[in-house]
Amino acid sequence: MSTTTGGTLNLVKPALTDDHKVTIGTDLPANFQKIDDTVSTHLAENATLATVHGLRYEEGTWTPILYGSTTAGSHTYNAQSGKYIRINKKVTCYGNIRLSAKDAAMAGSVKLGGLPFTVAGTMGSISFGYIANLDYGTGELSLHGYPVLNTTRLDLIMAKDNTSPAALQAAAISNTTEILFTIEYVAA
């Protein structure tokens, strides 16, 4: 039994049997239909956000926090927001932190916490789109950071001229420190 498919092309789709063999010229339209059936199951409108053709895909929000290693501190924020995209184990986070009042008790090296997933390794990065009201010490050139294995945080460091970087200290944070950033890391 054959059926007409293909609209204006009038391709003929022969009935397939277990011993069906493709003959170029006569059976090719049936193979086109098989390809079309397979392709239509992979169309974007048939995919879901949870699993796109075997990939884990997830979007959500997270709440970034600044805290000290010795004394965390309890700051007041004007802005404290984040969004993330996870594709399999790769996580990309976007964040915005703007303080309106720093807790004077904050002490130690500064951490950026609250990542949405546990870090699987120290390969990752943070890039800053905007930094305001951060006190750069003598010889400090720029702010950087790295994800810390088996945690949900980054350690923030200051690059220095011709020497090893040093941890960003709580004293560098002010009542109005603001940072906009993007983080990429591998989730556990």
Side-chain angles (χ1 to χ4, degrees):
M1 171 187 264
S2 297
T3 59
T4 303
T5 61
T8 58
L9 293 178
N10 289 330
L11 299 175
V12 176
K13 178 183 175 187
L16 299 178
T17 63
D18 290 338
D19 63 343
H20 185 77
K21 295 181 181 176
V22 175
T23 304
I24 301 297
T26 58
D27 294 331
L28 199 51
N31 289 326
F32 283 145
Q33 185 62 44
K34 282 186 203 176
I35 291 169
D36 183 55
D37 290 345
T38 300
V39 168
S40 67
T41 63
H42 294 282
L43 294 175
E45 61 264 18
N46 295 331
T48 64
L49 284 180
T51 56
V52 180
H53 305 292
L55 294 176
R56 175 184 174 177
Y57 183 90
E58 182 180 338
E59 293 182 7
T61 60
W62 66 290
T63 304
I65 58 170
L66 282 178
Y67 65 94
S69 61
T70 306
T71 304
S74 180
H75 314 299
T76 304
Y77 295 86
N78 273 339
Q80 185 182 23
S81 61
K83 294 186 178 202
Y84 71 85
I85 298 171
R86 178 178 175 160
I87 301 173
N88 286 342
K89 290 187 174 212
K90 180 186 177 190
V91 181
T92 303
C93 298
Y94 306 95
N96 178 19
I97 291 177
R98 186 173 57 240
L99 297 179
S100 60
K102 172 190 167 187
D103 184 345
M106 179 187 188
S109 57
V110 179
K111 313 297 183 187
L112 175 61
L115 293 175
F117 304 99
T118 301
V119 175
T122 56
M123 290 189 294
S125 63
I126 183 170
S127 58
F128 296 95
Y130 181 75
I131 302 170
N133 305 314
L134 184 70
D135 185 18
Y136 284 67
T138 302
E140 294 178 336
L141 303 175
S142 57
L143 180 62
H144 300 275
Y146 58 91
V148 179
L149 179 65
N150 296 324
T151 71
T152 55
R153 75 165 203 263
L154 279 85
D155 285 355
L156 298 180
I157 56 174
M158 296 299 287
K160 295 183 168 196
D161 188 20
N162 202 27
T163 187
S164 298
L168 176 67
Q169 295 301 305
I173 304 296
S174 76
N175 283 326
T176 56
T177 293
E178 180 177 8
I179 55 173
L180 299 172
F181 53 89
T182 302
I183 301 166
E184 289 196 349
Y185 70 99
V186 177

